[in-house]
Amino acid sequence: MTEPRWLDDEEQRAWRGFLRCYAEVRANLQRQLQRDTDLSHADYEVLVALSEAEEGRMRAFQLSDAIQWEKSRLSHQIDRMAKRGLVARQQCPTDARGAFIVITDEGRRAIEAAAPLHVEEVRRVFFDHLDRRQVAALADACHTVLDGIAALEGSPGRTGESG
Amino acid sequence: MTEPRWLDDEEQRAWRGFLRCYAEVRANLQRQLQRDTDLSHADYEVLVALSEAEEGRMRAFQLSDAIQWEKSRLSHQIDRMAKRGLVARQQCPTDARGAFIVITDEGRRAIEAAAPLHVEEVRRVFFDHLDRRQVAALADACHTVLDGIAALEGSPGRTGESG
DNA sequence: CAAGATTGAGTAGTCAATCTTC
DNA sequence: GAAGATTGACTACTCAATCTTG
């Protein structure tokens, strides 16, 4: 590599917009959750994934894969949520190493109470500003990036790998 | 509010794609910085803002506004960065309450060394997967949301405000 | 008393080490 | 020894309290 390929104006605009947009949206969602519920965004993510899973439970590794968290982060988070009665740990019958994380009744109540308010806020800060065309374009761009990253990781062709 | 207005399929796709895309991109950038430099993403953000500022310095409140951080977060971060010699605090001559944060020579060297590698990674995980049309559409959507949020905050018309 | 900024305590996240089972 | 998961120490962030000057 010689000259770095700096971002041009349009790319800067896209890049900074993307980062800032995420930050703004997330800050608003966090405030809403804090104001209206007892859940953090982390709690919310975990409970959504579990509530959508069959029997309200997943293996820890599946859950950490679904929400893309490190194992240790998830484990700490589950500790805290278990203390608050939102989830529980179960032994896995077929693999003694394995742990199921299961949503409790209280966890269900919490997510069912929170979800309508949360989705309203998602609309207020995000979708209410976008028309269908923009939504489609955004989904397209994001999923294109995700697919691209997945492909990179499939064949990690970083320059100078075996050096 | 009666029935919550749940997200439809296309909205779900956009929303989850957006969150996941950000998470993936950020994870990759973090790994790159950790591998190739001694800077965290937080360090990087601070140094970019300062390096672009006149005389390489900003008032603390300007900086926290520019990168959208809480004051206390910034203050802690500046503590750590100052210990490492990347930035320094200066007294403000015109307002004795005020603090300037200034990038040091070492900070400049660090950001100038890191930036080319970082921008390469931004291309690798993000722009290399998108064509110009997608980049423009993404920039458009993100800035539309940002403008929308700014307008909300100008006139916080949340439903049921005075109730 | 509001604005600018810092501090400290508590919470959350990361990394490496560990433990158990496959 | 690798996979699934937990733990502990360290680092980072948040919130409320504080300090100082306007």
Side-chain angles (χ1 to χ4, degrees), chain B residues 34-45:
Chain B
Q34 179 156 345
R35 186 183 56 228
D36 299 338
T37 78
D38 284 321
L39 302 177
S40 67
H41 194 83
D43 300 332
Y44 191 89
E45 269 194 281

Side-chain angles (χ1 to χ4, degrees), chain B residues 108-161:
Chain B
R108 282 227 193 257
R109 276 196 298 279
I111 193 66
E112 283 168 8
L117 299 166
H118 192 66
V119 75
E120 275 304 318
E121 182 72 3
V122 170
R123 290 204 175 281
R124 192 180 77 96
V125 299
F126 197 76
F127 287 107
D128 282 356
H129 308 301
L130 300 172
D131 60 35
R132 299 298 295 187
R133 203 195 77 257
Q134 289 173 307
V135 170
L138 186 87
D140 166 62
C142 289
H143 284 279
T144 301
V145 169
L146 284 169
D147 292 346
I149 291 176
L152 285 179
E153 279 158 9
S155 56
R158 252 202 117 257
T159 52
E161 202 166 1

Side-chain angles (χ1 to χ4, degrees), chain A residues 86-113:
Chain A
L86 298 169
V87 300
R89 286 190 165 92
Q90 283 179 349
Q91 284 233 305
C92 175
T94 64
D95 185 339
R97 294 171 305 181
F100 273 111
I101 319 293
V102 57
I103 187 171
T104 61
D105 291 347
E106 191 178 339
R108 283 230 193 254
R109 277 197 296 279
I111 193 65
E112 283 168 9

Side-chain angles (χ1 to χ4, degrees), chain A residues 20-155:
Chain A
R20 177 62 60 92
C21 183
Y22 177 85
E24 280 295 330
V25 165
R26 169 159 259 258
N28 276 278
L29 293 183
Q30 224 145 255
R31 277 195 291 274
Q32 177 271 320
L33 283 174
Q34 179 156 346
R35 186 182 58 228
D36 299 338
T37 78
D38 283 322
L39 303 177
S40 68
H41 194 84
D43 300 331
Y44 190 89
E45 269 193 281
V46 168
L47 291 179
V48 166
L50 289 179
S51 68
E52 289 174 350
E54 212 155 323
E55 301 183 73
R57 65 184 201 176
M58 300 173 83
R59 292 286 299 273
F61 75 93
Q62 292 179 305
L63 181 52
S64 79
D65 197 61
I67 60 182
Q68 293 284 106
W69 284 13
E70 310 218 339
K71 291 180 188 318
S72 57
R73 177 182 179 189
L74 182 62
S75 188
H76 287 304
Q77 176 76 23
I78 296 303
D79 280 351
R80 289 176 236 124
M81 293 179 76
K83 269 178 203 145
R84 295 161 57 204
L86 298 169
V87 300
R89 286 190 165 92
Q90 283 179 349
Q91 284 233 305
C92 175
T94 64
D95 185 339
R97 294 171 305 181
F100 273 111
I101 319 293
V102 57
I103 187 171
T104 61
D105 291 347
E106 191 178 339
R108 283 230 193 254
R109 277 197 296 279
I111 193 65
E112 283 168 9
L117 299 165
H118 192 65
V119 75
E120 275 303 318
E121 182 72 2
V122 171
R123 291 203 175 280
R124 192 180 77 96
V125 298
F126 197 76
F127 287 106
D128 282 357
H129 309 301
L130 300 172
D131 61 35
R132 300 298 296 189
R133 203 196 76 257
Q134 289 174 307
V135 171
L138 187 86
D140 166 63
C142 290
H143 283 279
T144 301
V145 169
L146 284 170
D147 293 346
I149 291 176
L152 285 179
E153 280 159 8
S155 56

